[in-house]
Amino acid sequence: MTTAETRPGRRARGERPAGAAGARAWVVTALLVAFMMVNFADKAVFGLAADEIRADLGLSATRFGLANSAFFLLFSLSAVVVGVLADRLSLKWLLLVMALLWSVAQVPPALGGGLAVLVGTRVVLGAAEGPAFPVAQQIAFSWFPNHRRNLPGALVTLGVTFGVITAAPTLTWVIDRHGWCSALWALAVAGLVWGAAWFGLGAIGRHREDRPGADPSGDEETGEETGAASGRASSWAAYRRVFGSRTWIGVTLAYFTSYWGVALMLVWLPSYLKNALGYSSGAAGTLVAVPWAVGAVVLLGQAAVTGRLMRRGVPSRWARGRVGAALLAVGALCLLGLPLVNGHAAKAVLLFLGFGFGGSFAAIAATTVAEVAPPRRRGGSLGTMNALVTTAGLIAPTVVGAMVDAQGHAGYQNAALAYAALLLVGALAAAVLIDPQRDAARTGAPLPERNRP
């Protein structure tokens, strides 16, 4: 464990500040991208093998949706718990333990078993994966100053896209030729390989604004009294200020609507393409990566635009809040066009654009919360946001499964239209509520460095 990890408030002599973004910062960022690739490949595998699993276990669409919702049963709770622990424990070791648990959770269903084994291991996997995104973002942010976080934050988020783009055709090939259990073995090995690489190369940066002395308030975050009891009171008071801010509320609501679509892409999009739009299993396994690729382009574009605006001094409420609102609104408009076009190809294009734009809010959410939360409350703030947001994953698969059972193939399109309505609500929340610079003064977050290159 490095000195920076054991003494988070200090930098080792001669250590370059993370704002310099040297080679080590980008090596760690690359590992975090790979971490998120494995993370979302784990999530995507059941969607890719949906028809095979349902046939093997004799599951209706509703029961299969419930099995996938089980993944999110402890997902949100663990995001909160580990998010708070991330403010106190070594982030490097937390991430390593998570990755090892992912690999272990793949083994029981790979060995065989019924619905109970499937559900039980998905609950365990969800508990281990719940904190992954906020903790990975927290580590990435520790290497960069506020106005430089858009690109690494977007890249870590893009790990989701890269994971699906590589996993979808690869795992579909494995499933078609060797069965869905073989795909689980492949993912178990991938998690172990990543864990070995992180053990050797992973590290935590400490940007100068994260030092307690850099906080403008009297104590490390809040300026309140120190001491054990008062420290705990100060901690919860700091969290309450963050959670009560309009920015945190707006980000969480907007990100919830965005994540609803992420859950649908993971669980039901392959079936939508095969059953409602008539694509073959192989074609669907390839096409399912398209909306993720669209999201990747949107995320990189958003990072470039947001970073440029902030370096030019544009307030975050515009550079992050209004840009994020625009992405959600474009996604909603694309999906609302589905009933207006004929032909499977035209519907697929609108579907991919709608999910691509609608699901691209994650990087904005993480960087915005990081801006408004005090450094030593950042993990809990990100984790709690992620916990509330990912309840969409608990609800959406079951709701859509029930719609498909009740409405047949028409249920898929109606589910997409319902998602469009949610996106419009999220866009409104982002445009009206997000203003990090206003709320940072109330939460005790340090003032960001000047928005300059």
Side-chain angles (χ1 to χ4, degrees):
M1 189 179 299
T2 65
T3 303
E5 290 168 322
T6 55
R7 299 176 68 90
R10 301 181 182 178
R11 252 192 350 258
R13 180 176 298 176
E15 182 183 351
R16 188 163 62 169
R24 188 67 183 275
W26 292 109
V27 168
V28 171
T29 301
L31 285 171
L32 295 173
V33 172
F35 175 77
M36 294 307 301
M37 290 176 66
V38 177
N39 176 280
F40 267 76
D42 287 344
K43 291 185 179 74
V45 65
F46 273 27
L48 296 170
D51 292 344
E52 291 79 2
I53 294 173
R54 287 177 58 190
D56 284 353
L57 302 182
L59 302 178
S60 66
T62 301
R63 293 186 71 192
F64 179 73
L66 284 170
N68 277 275
S69 292
F71 175 87
F72 291 95
L73 189 62
L74 297 179
F75 190 95
S76 299
L77 177 62
S78 68
V80 175
V81 173
V82 177
V84 173
L85 289 176
D87 291 326
R88 294 166 172 79
L89 302 179
S90 166
L91 298 178
K92 175 179 178 177
W93 292 101
L94 282 176
L95 220 62
L96 181 60
V97 169
M98 279 186 242
L100 294 178
L101 286 175
W102 301 351
S103 294
V104 171
Q106 305 292 355
V107 174
L111 291 172
L115 180 61
V117 172
L118 199 67
V119 170
T121 54
R122 293 301 281 181
V123 171
V124 172
L125 183 63
E129 291 198 348
F133 179 72
V135 174
Q137 291 281 11
Q138 191 179 1
I139 293 173
F141 295 158
S142 73
W143 288 94
F144 301 88
N146 178 56
H147 68 285
R148 294 289 189 188
R149 286 173 178 161
N150 296 296
L151 180 56
L155 289 174
V156 173
T157 306
L158 282 176
V160 174
T161 302
F162 298 148
V164 175
I165 289 174
T166 57
T170 303
L171 292 178
T172 298
W173 183 88
V174 172
I175 292 164
D176 285 345
R177 287 161 176 76
H178 304 287
W180 59 274
C181 291
S182 296
L184 299 183
W185 284 114
L187 292 174
V189 171
L192 293 175
V193 170
W194 183 90
W198 180 252
F199 179 79
L201 300 173
I204 312 303
R206 287 291 170 186
H207 186 261
R208 54 185 172 274
E209 76 179 27
D210 287 345
R211 298 201 314 268
D215 197 319
S217 54
D219 154 289
E220 16 180 80
E221 296 87 20
T222 64
E224 300 176 18
E225 293 184 277
T226 57
S230 63
R232 286 190 293 271
S234 167
S235 172
W236 290 114
Y239 281 130
R240 284 197 299 271
R241 280 193 288 272
V242 174
F243 300 154
S245 68
R246 293 175 65 190
T247 293
W248 190 87
I249 293 170
V251 164
T252 302
L253 181 56
Y255 189 17
F256 175 91
T257 67
S258 179
Y259 199 86
W260 185 280
V262 172
L264 297 189
M265 283 194 287
L266 288 168
V267 177
W268 287 115
L269 184 58
S271 295
Y272 190 161
L273 294 172
K274 287 187 286 186
N275 300 328
L277 299 185
Y279 289 99
S280 67
S281 178
T286 301
L287 290 174
V288 75
V290 174
W292 298 96
V294 172
V297 174
V298 173
L299 271 174
L300 289 174
Q302 170 268 312
V305 170
T306 298
R308 181 176 178 82
L309 291 174
M310 294 190 69
R311 288 193 295 273
R312 296 179 64 180
V314 175
S316 295
R317 71 177 182 273
W318 285 95
R320 285 174 175 156
R322 305 295 168 81
V323 170
L327 299 181
L328 299 182
V330 170
L333 291 176
C334 290
L335 293 173
L336 289 173
L338 284 171
L340 305 179
V341 299
N342 295 317
H344 292 165
K347 288 182 181 293
V349 169
L350 288 178
L351 193 70
F352 297 155
L353 290 173
F355 277 100
F357 274 87
S360 61
F361 195 80
I364 288 178
T367 52
T368 303
V369 170
E371 184 176 356
V372 82
R376 291 199 176 184
R377 301 295 172 256
R378 191 169 292 152
S381 300
L382 286 166
T384 303
M385 174 196 69
N386 209 59
L388 293 175
V389 163
T390 53
T391 57
L394 182 65
I395 302 168
T398 302
V399 170
V400 175
M403 293 177 71
V404 171
D405 277 340
Q407 303 169 19
H409 293 168
Y412 291 110
Q413 180 170 289
N414 291 335
L417 295 176
Y419 174 45
L422 283 174
L423 286 177
L424 291 176
V425 173
L428 181 63
V432 172
L433 298 177
I434 293 176
D435 190 345
Q437 291 169 322
R438 173 200 63 205
D439 290 333
R442 303 173 185 175
T443 61
L447 294 176
E449 298 178 13
R450 287 188 305 162
N451 291 343
R452 57 173 174 80

